Amino acid sequence: MENTSLIEQGPIRPPNEAESLLIRVTRNCPWNRCLFCPVYKGEKFSKRSVEEVKRDIDEIAASLEQVRNIVEYSGVDEGTFNHIMRNHPELLSAVSWWYSKDRSVFLQDADSVILKTGEMLEILQHLLEKIPEVGRITTYARSRTLSHKSTEELKELKEAGLSRVHVGLESGCDEVLEYVKKGATSTQQVEAGKKVKEAGLILSHYIILGLGGRNKWREHAIKTAEVINQVDPDFIRVRSLALHSLAPLSEEYQAGRFNPMNDEEVVREERLLLENLEGITGTIYSDHILNLLEEVQGTFPEDRERMLEVIDNFLALSQEEKEIFILGRRTGIFRYLNDRFNSSGRERAKKILEQLRKQGTDTEEFVRELTLRYL
Ligand code: SF4
């Protein structure tokens, strides 16, 4: 939910929190050193005071109170929704949130659990008191910060209303974690993940395909699978690496110290990761435009073979077919692998390939540039 201008908001939230009400409890990232991450570079971290956050909550609650009154008077239906949209444009975001499926709240920015547990509890309590309709409260958290909290503290947060924690695992390989300056070891990642689950919170792990580059892709895939196997997060969200110009990893690449993988290599890495996932029950999501094969998603163990089949179908294509699909996907012509059977889309993707060949343009570099549009 987009808040009114008086309410402070951070720059990002997870993609699946698009409809969420955003409440900023800290500003920026307390770590801010990850080489692959452009989001808060140059920005200083600070905690917001509990009073400030409460004021924002009060302001949002006041808008929602107006929506609540209208709904109580007119009922919850499309007519009421349209009436509010027409006659109270200032309540646009409040009404969209009211009608959203989960009535979810996302606490910003990068590592909200860095607040003292008492401060978080006060914020959660105030939030639920002022906006009792909240259905789910989620936040980003760093593994290292989580590993400094006791399971008891996390349980208190859960009892106070926190439901889900999004953690950037990125890799389970210590060499990769160290190189990209993640500031957490695989042991800390496991410890933090287990604590979150023991506390009864829902855990969403984010991993970055391609983060080990050509030199470390095997270790990256296998060790990441090992961490996931030990933790068994509820959700595994896959992102493929893109080298944003503000991310220091881009300089590493320019200086020849990081050797990025191409789309096909990343798909091979993804296969190796999936092959090594054992005994887990979570769900993988690839619903990000940076991923080549969006349809590699499903729940373990039942969807494993189907996901591997999608990967194998891509890998079995001729080189020309792979390039057509990659270019079609990266230029927005295709979404899924089978979209390449659409003849007009196929013709367009083929033309781009021919054009690139004619110009002598490096397709890999062209695709790398294209992915930057999605950041
Ligand atoms: S990836 Fe997360 S922890 Fe790392 S710098 Fe970015 S926001 Fe901070």
Side-chain angles (χ1 to χ4, degrees), residues 12 28-41 110-111 142 168 170 181-182:
I12 59 162
N28 311 313
C29 172
W31 176 249
N32 215 3
R33 291 181 222 175
C34 300
L35 295 189
F36 55 86
C37 172
V39 184
Y40 302 104
K41 294 291 181 280
D111 191 18
R142 294 185 62 232
E170 334 297 7
K181 299 194 168 72
K182 182 64 198 170

Side-chain angles (χ1 to χ4, degrees), residues 42-211:
E43 303 292 337
K44 208 166 158 270
F45 172 76
S46 64
K47 292 180 184 181
R48 296 187 74 211
S49 73
V50 173
E51 288 317 309
E52 258 181 285
V53 178
K54 279 184 175 178
R55 272 201 298 276
D56 281 1
I57 293 172
D58 291 347
E59 201 160 322
I60 296 165
S63 300
L64 287 166
E65 175 67 17
Q66 292 184 61
V67 177
R68 191 183 294 117
N69 288 338
I70 298 169
V71 168
E72 267 169 20
Y73 183 74
S74 314
V76 184
D77 60 23
E78 212 182 306
T80 310
F81 177 81
N82 291 335
H83 163 79
I84 303 174
M85 299 288 272
R86 255 194 329 269
N87 301 303
H88 302 279
E90 75 286 0
L91 296 177
L92 194 70
S93 55
V95 77
S96 301
W97 182 80
W98 186 275
Y99 280 87
S100 66
K101 192 167 116 270
D102 297 322
R103 289 190 181 157
S104 177
V105 171
F106 179 71
L107 305 178
Q108 294 179 305
D109 282 337
D111 191 18
S112 309
V113 293
I114 201 161
L115 290 185
K116 290 193 180 107
T117 303
E119 293 173 326
M120 275 286 267
L121 291 173
E122 206 179 325
I123 290 169
L124 290 168
Q125 193 184 1
H126 191 76
L127 175 62
L128 288 173
E129 198 182 294
K130 295 287 172 176
I131 315 175
E133 294 83 4
V134 166
R136 185 178 81 188
I137 305 173
T138 73
T139 188
Y140 277 134
R142 294 185 62 232
S143 287
R144 190 146 91 179
T145 311
L146 284 168
S147 68
H148 293 145
K149 295 257 185 230
S150 68
T151 309
E152 282 316 309
E153 285 177 290
L154 295 176
K155 274 186 187 158
E156 279 184 73
L157 294 176
K158 151 92 177 139
E159 275 153 28
L162 186 66
S163 5
R164 180 180 300 197
V165 181
H166 299 268
V167 176
L169 174 71
E170 334 297 7
S171 176
C173 172
D174 281 316
E175 282 170 275
V176 174
L177 289 169
E178 199 183 328
Y179 174 65
V180 301
K181 299 194 168 72
K182 182 64 198 170
T185 61
S186 60
T187 309
Q188 280 171 326
Q189 305 266 36
V190 172
E191 191 193 336
K194 283 186 170 173
K195 271 189 196 171
V196 169
K197 289 207 68 185
E198 266 169 49
L201 290 158
I202 294 172
L203 175 63
S204 201
H205 261 167
Y206 288 72
I207 57 172
I208 304 181
L209 296 176
L211 193 60

Side-chain angles (χ1 to χ4, degrees), residues 271 274 293 295-296 303-316 337:
R271 194 186 202 291
L274 258 61
L293 300 174
E295 56 271 63
V296 179
D303 294 326
R304 177 206 196 91
E305 290 313 312
R306 184 184 49 74
M307 290 190 274
L308 287 172
E309 203 179 295
V310 174
I311 291 178
D312 290 341
N313 287 344
F314 169 77
L315 293 175
L337 192 55

